[in-house]
Amino acid sequence: MANRIFRAVVLGPPGSGKGTISARIAQSFGLQHLSSGDFVRENISASTEAGILAKTYIDKDLLVPDCVMTCLLLPRLEQMTRHSWVLDGFPRTLAQATALNDTCSLDVVISLNIPLETLKERLRHRWIHPASGRVYNMEFNPPQVHGMDDISREPLVQRDEDKPEALVARLRHYKDIAKPVIDLYRSKGILHSFSGTETNKIWPYINSLITGKIPEVQGASQTLPLHSQEQ
Ligand code: AMP
């Protein structure tokens, strides 16, 4: 792994478990976990120009425009040419996928296909801490104190976009914009789709896919120092 860079993207609708799967990949294989949502929140906290602009869209439960997202993310990826990473939350649109393609080459794209009923059920119980993006599920992963973030102790909120009335439209919108992205990666021969209702049951398949792609990282702990946090 020391002389082999590995890059993966995880695609999936809201509630599909992309964040959880990406974190497991990062931990198991010693890759950096990059999340576009985290980049956006960092920029909002730092009041950068892009962050201020992005916030006006997030406040309206809209996707941040492609040009803002690519300006935020691609320079960061360009700084990481010597690092292996797994990226979640980006690309969400074909324009973003094309821009990413111009910046770096990907080894694997994982697409999570989760049944609609499962997504609805997960999002119904999802509460978040807006400032950090920490996500809780009131059924499976509740906070220590009801309604409060474990670390900051600030109140959790349910995003309007996660509420049942907004969900179906949001999932349909996701499908429409994700389809050309998925088609692009399929045509490149790097798309791997996984279906199921439980992250824990999907994980072994993803684990063996990546182990097969980078067998030399088996025993991830040996590689971790090579992928220490950027900056
Ligand atoms: P997330 O934590 O992935 O749910 O991202 C939080 C919010 O940031 C999303 O609801 C979007 O408004 C915005 N965002 C994150 N990634 C992207 C992206 N690739 N394209 C557009 N907007 C994004």
Side-chain angles (χ1 to χ4, degrees):
M1 187 64 186
N3 47 21
R4 168 80 168 83
I5 298 297
F6 180 82
R7 301 194 182 105
V9 156
V10 181
L11 305 175
S16 60
K18 324 185 262 307
T20 307
I21 292 284
S22 303
R24 281 195 199 177
I25 294 173
Q27 199 189 5
S28 302
F29 296 94
L31 314 181
Q32 282 208 40
H33 177 190
L34 309 173
S35 148
S36 61
D38 286 350
F39 279 118
V40 172
R41 282 181 287 275
E42 277 169 30
N43 275 271
I44 293 175
S45 301
S47 295
T48 65
E49 202 180 329
I52 291 166
L53 192 55
K55 188 170 184 314
T56 61
Y57 291 88
I58 292 184
D59 286 348
K60 293 183 207 138
D61 292 333
L62 294 171
L63 284 183
V64 176
D66 291 333
C67 56
V68 180
M69 282 312 299
T70 51
C71 287
L72 272 178
L73 216 73
L74 298 185
R76 184 74 191 265
L77 296 182
E78 277 162 8
Q79 293 167 3
M80 296 183 61
T81 47
R82 288 179 299 111
H83 289 257
S84 295
W85 44 252
V86 52
L87 176 59
D88 96 70
F90 188 99
R92 270 174 159 99
T93 65
L94 185 57
Q96 293 179 10
T98 309
L100 181 61
N101 205 29
D102 294 341
T103 305
C104 61
S105 62
L106 299 174
D107 295 281
V108 166
V109 174
I110 290 166
S111 170
L112 301 173
N113 294 322
I114 312 299
L116 180 65
E117 283 313 310
T118 308
L119 295 176
K120 279 193 198 165
E121 193 57 18
R122 285 186 193 167
L123 292 174
R124 199 159 67 85
H125 297 290
R126 177 151 97 167
W127 289 70
I128 65 155
H129 175 241
S132 67
R134 276 185 287 277
V135 176
Y136 298 85
N137 182 294
M138 291 304 175
E139 294 260 293
F140 307 115
N141 171 34
Q144 290 156 5
V145 178
H146 184 74
M148 298 293 171
D149 177 49
D150 287 349
I151 293 172
S152 68
R153 294 290 184 219
E154 288 167 350
L156 301 176
V157 300
Q158 191 172 39
R159 296 194 293 200
D160 285 343
E161 64 203 81
D162 288 342
K163 289 181 182 163
E165 52 278 19
L167 258 183
V168 174
R170 186 171 167 221
L171 293 172
R172 191 176 304 126
H173 179 59
Y174 168 81
K175 257 193 165 169
D176 290 345
I177 57 169
K179 186 173 182 311
V181 178
I182 288 171
D183 289 346
L184 172 74
Y185 291 133
R186 185 179 292 116
S187 74
K188 286 176 169 289
I190 53 172
L191 183 79
H192 299 265
S193 298
F194 297 88
S195 304
T197 56
E198 286 176 48
T199 302
N200 283 342
K201 291 195 176 154
I202 296 174
W203 168 246
Y205 296 99
I206 296 178
N207 191 20
S208 73
L209 167 76
I210 298 184
T211 302
K213 296 279 175 197
I214 41 173
E216 58 271 49
V217 276
Q218 278 173 332
S221 53
Q222 294 152 18
T223 69
L224 276 166
L226 294 172
H227 302 280
S228 54
Q229 280 291 315
E230 191 82 0
Q231 292 173 355

